[in-house]
């Protein structure tokens, strides 16, 4: 099992309008990085201060990964051994559910690293919020 | 003429109500369960390995992706 942090553009930077919203004051004061070097610096600070032990990759300035996964502002996914999406979390922060990810990881590991087939009934209920 | 007005009305409704609702849920472009995971090849922070290509894990092990930022 591999865990990978994908560092994407800042959700509540101090120099953008949305940074003045509800999230402000509860987190660090960080400006939106304008260059990849700046983004790398903020990502380093984030990983160090939060003491994250998993490897972190940094999205490029075109936000390729963030866009491909609609990862902004935060979101969880599980990719199985076949390269298929086994769990697609809803948009964070409301849809950010480590518990659901954990359940999916357990199910996938139990099934030799591959997402188990789901019944049509389950698929319908999981279609919401993605 | 009447049909055209209905069509324009529907387009406006879609743009004003449905599309923003999709955006709020962030559901527009997120890959669905069962779909191929979009590949990426991104620079790794502070390791000897320069880049990680998601598809390099294929056939080896599952990968949990945590998208997020500092703020």
């Amino acid at each position: 099992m591999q865990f990978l942090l994908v560092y994407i553009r800042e959700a509540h930077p101090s120099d953008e309008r949305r940074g003045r919203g509800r999230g402000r004051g509860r987190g660090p004061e960080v400006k939106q990085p304008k260059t990849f070097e700046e983004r790398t610096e903020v990502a380093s600070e984030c990983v160090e201060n939060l003491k994250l032990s998993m490897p972190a990759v940094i999205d490029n300035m075109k936000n390729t990964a963030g866009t491909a996964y609609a990862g902004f502002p935060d979101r969880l996914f599980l990719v199985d051994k076949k390269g298929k999406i086994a769990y697609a979390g809803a948009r964070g922060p409301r849809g950010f559910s480590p518990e659901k990810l954990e359940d999916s990881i357990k199910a996938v590991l139990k099934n030799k690293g591959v997402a188990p087939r789901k019944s049509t009934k389950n698929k319908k209920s999981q279609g919401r919020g993605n | 003429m009447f049909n055209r007005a209905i069509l324009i009305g529907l387009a406006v409704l879609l743009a004003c109500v449905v599309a923003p609702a999709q955006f709020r849920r962030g559901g527009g472009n997120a890959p669905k369960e069962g779909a191929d995971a979009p590949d990426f090849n991104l620079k790794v922070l502070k390791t000897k390995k320069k880049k990680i290509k998601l598809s390099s894990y294929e056939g080896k092990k599952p990968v949990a992706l945590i998208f997020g930022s500092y703020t």
Side-chain angles (χ1 to χ4, degrees):
Chain A
M1 184 67 218
Q2 179 68 52
F3 288 84
L4 198 59
L5 171 73
V6 185
Y7 177 82
I8 55 173
R9 67 188 169 101
E10 285 299 322
H12 299 99
S14 56
D15 58 341
E16 287 181 14
R17 201 177 166 196
R18 63 175 170 269
R20 300 183 198 124
R22 285 187 295 171
R24 203 177 184 202
R26 290 189 294 185
E29 281 265 324
V30 172
K31 285 184 179 176
Q32 187 68 269
K34 300 285 187 289
T35 63
F36 188 74
E37 288 69 32
E38 285 177 13
R39 187 173 271 189
T40 306
E41 267 179 45
V42 179
S44 301
E45 208 182 313
C46 170
V47 167
E48 279 171 24
N49 289 346
L50 298 176
K51 296 183 173 67
L52 301 175
S53 56
M54 71 184 95
V57 292
I58 309 158
D59 200 5
N60 58 38
M61 296 310 284
K62 288 181 181 172
N63 302 310
T64 308
T67 305
Y69 283 84
F72 184 85
D74 47 55
R75 199 187 278 258
L76 297 169
F77 287 94
L78 178 63
V79 180
D80 75 3
K81 233 168 118 177
K82 286 184 175 177
K84 303 277 184 192
I85 301 287
Y87 169 71
R91 186 177 189 250
R94 285 188 183 180
F96 196 87
S97 173
E99 295 80 15
K100 285 182 183 174
L101 176 66
E102 188 182 352
D103 289 345
S104 299
I105 289 172
K106 283 177 183 168
V108 163
L109 291 179
K110 209 173 169 183
N111 198 38
K112 296 177 182 175
V114 180
R117 284 188 173 186
K118 286 174 183 171
S119 69
T120 319
K121 201 179 175 184
N122 285 345
K123 272 183 184 173
K124 273 181 185 172
S125 65
Q126 290 200 346
R128 288 178 176 181
N130 286 338
Chain B
M1 188 68 189
F2 183 66
N3 284 346
R4 199 174 166 188
I6 289 175
L7 276 176
I8 291 169
L10 280 174
V12 170
L13 183 75
L14 187 74
C16 296
V17 180
V18 183
Q22 272 295 105
F23 181 75
R24 277 197 301 276
R25 288 199 295 267
N29 300 317
K32 300 270 184 274
E33 289 171 10
D36 288 331
D39 199 12
F40 57 71
N41 190 21
L42 296 176
K43 201 180 169 219
V44 192
L45 191 68
K46 292 182 177 181
T47 57
K48 285 178 185 173
K49 204 174 178 182
K50 285 184 177 175
K51 282 190 168 186
I52 286 182
K53 192 171 169 64
L54 179 65
S55 57
S56 69
Y57 293 107
E58 214 173 304
K60 295 175 187 165
K61 51 186 170 181
V63 188
L65 299 174
I66 297 106
F67 284 82
S69 68
Y70 198 14
T71 57

